Amino acid sequence: MKRKIAAIFAADIAGYSRLVAEDEEETLRRLASYREVVDDFIAKAGGRIFNTAGDAVLAEFPSAVDAVRCAIDIQESLRTRNMAYPPSRQMSFRIGITIGDVVERDGDLLGDGVNIAARLEGLAEVGGICVSRAVHEQVANKLSVQFADIGAQEVKNIPTPVHAYMVAMRREDGSYNTPQVKKVSGKAASAPNWMWPLVVGIVSIVAIGVGGFLYFTKLETAKAPASAGAAPAAASSPAASTAAAAAPGPTPTMAAANPAPVPSPPAASGGKFPADMVPFIGERVRAYLSNEYSTAGDYKAFALNIGGFTGSALNQPNEEAARNAALEQCQKRADASQSPRRCELYAVGNAVVYAHGRPPMPPQPWVRHDTVTERRFASKDFPMVRDPAKLRLENMYVPAAKSRSVALSPGGQYFMVMGAPSADDSTRRSLESCGALAGVACMIVAVDDNFVVPIPTLLKITGFFHAASNASILADARDEVVRKLADATGWNAVAVGTAGRPGLGLKAADEQTAVNSALADCARRDSDCHVIGIGPFTVGPVN
């Protein structure tokens, strides 16, 4: 590992989950197109992308000037592209930039510089840019850019406020917009002196009233006979109430960064804890939850993150202490393994308070082994990810202990689980974590040393192939294609012509035979046929 100072650029799409939910395939196609624009500008400006996660991009630049100029070019270019779409379908990035001390490890960058850039991105307007004071000082006299000072901002998990500036973006007529100044952190304004006696008086009156009510209520309660069958209070000792219970640590996992949603308010505790429903965790942690955690009395809490890191606290003095202890233990474990995901409360007592529900999962079976199409795993052939991700797979997945697996989403997000007790455990956990990251069901691409789905090499992989919703195929013919592909083993290909009539090459012994058969079958029904799907992937011409 080595340290260095770099300008860190963080970007992601505003409202991406909503766009995917409304029209997944169109959103993913447009994301790929927009990412080409973003990547091209970054490369031309001398930047380097060091991490991606679906719609998020993290890049480093040798200078703040280059980073800001690149961000402006990206925003102006994408604004022009968005004009072709209605406001509800526009795809706009937020961008945050800072200068910071970072640690480089295996091509990835870690440290406060990366975290602050991500927080600044969250402060930016839709289609806008937010920079730190250090960047503003470097850029202010070197670029003809206007800024709005939004002051010191309290941001999540950064101990000191971050002084930030909004970049004024140019309008169509050449004028500049005025950024909306976000709420500035700081102490609330003091109340006028004349109000304090009034406030004290009101509080005193309320306190006397509440005290009297409780006193007389206690007298009435003391007179009443004890209720039969009342549940005994949970016992706790001073020693037990001071320590968090250590749940078994998870097998380390790796996932790309993505902003976490805000949890919903907790539900009331009660009932048996549903350990079988907890996602992201291995069997050791599940056994702990079924036994020690489930049977322990309050106050207790359990926290986790998408990477499978967990923390729990039993026999705490109150609910708040249990919450804090569980989150702290989980986050310490995640930070120690450089997990980019934040921990969230999953349960308080035996009540699940996790806001995100079960992650989307594909139908079972999750893996269909086929000796005709399976081949040795090779990082360079992993589909739909860029070179930094392939390098990470080579350095982390290939040498890792079994059982291990990698899941892939339609948008190119991926998640790997390594060192699991079984292939079933690793595939379930990688699908859960990948699905939670992407917001859509993922697909198992590799298990242990092999690719377990056909990996096309003759054409470029562009996404997941779903015949039932593929607009290239004539609507009346889609159900037939779905039916014929359902149980077809070996290599399979789908071709279409100008009229959308499909041709199929099924159960072939190799990729080339499947492609040739699909083209020949299509040519009998249509003209100008081309292949659109091979195995589980959509394909296009190789650039």
Side-chain angles (χ1 to χ4, degrees), residues 146-331:
Q146 299 179 29
F147 295 89
D149 186 347
I150 64 171
Q153 300 286 321
E154 295 280 0
V155 293
K156 185 178 178 182
N157 299 318
I158 303 298
T160 58
V162 178
H163 199 112
Y165 294 78
M166 295 286 196
V167 176
M169 301 302 296
R170 194 176 0 235
R171 298 189 182 99
E172 294 295 318
D173 59 4
S175 63
Y176 288 86
N177 72 332
T178 302
Q180 296 298 310
V181 178
K182 301 216 173 183
K183 183 179 178 182
V184 180
S185 65
K187 295 182 179 178
S190 299
N193 290 336
W194 62 266
M195 289 185 65
W196 285 111
L198 178 61
V199 172
V200 172
I202 292 172
V203 171
S204 299
I205 292 170
V206 172
I208 291 169
V210 171
F213 172 77
L214 293 176
Y215 174 75
F216 287 109
T217 301
K218 183 176 180 181
L219 287 179
E220 290 299 321
T221 304
K223 295 176 184 177
S227 299
S236 64
S237 67
S241 68
T242 59
T251 303
T253 59
M254 188 284 299
N258 202 38
V262 179
S264 62
S269 70
K272 181 176 174 59
F273 181 72
D276 290 343
M277 300 298 291
V278 181
F280 318 134
I281 61 171
E283 294 310 314
R284 287 180 60 240
V285 179
R286 199 176 306 282
Y288 162 81
L289 292 173
S290 296
N291 300 316
E292 289 94 325
Y293 184 88
S294 182
T295 57
D298 278 338
Y299 294 101
K300 62 185 178 182
F302 176 68
L304 50 64
N305 78 356
I306 287 176
F309 294 92
T310 64
S312 70
L314 308 181
N315 303 318
Q316 297 295 295
N318 53 56
E319 184 176 293
E320 183 178 4
R323 289 166 173 262
N324 292 340
L327 282 169
E328 181 180 6
Q329 184 185 81
C330 178
Q331 199 58 56

Side-chain angles (χ1 to χ4, degrees), residues 110-122:
L110 308 166
D112 281 348
V114 178
N115 296 334
I116 290 172
R119 300 300 177 238
L120 290 168
E121 171 265 307

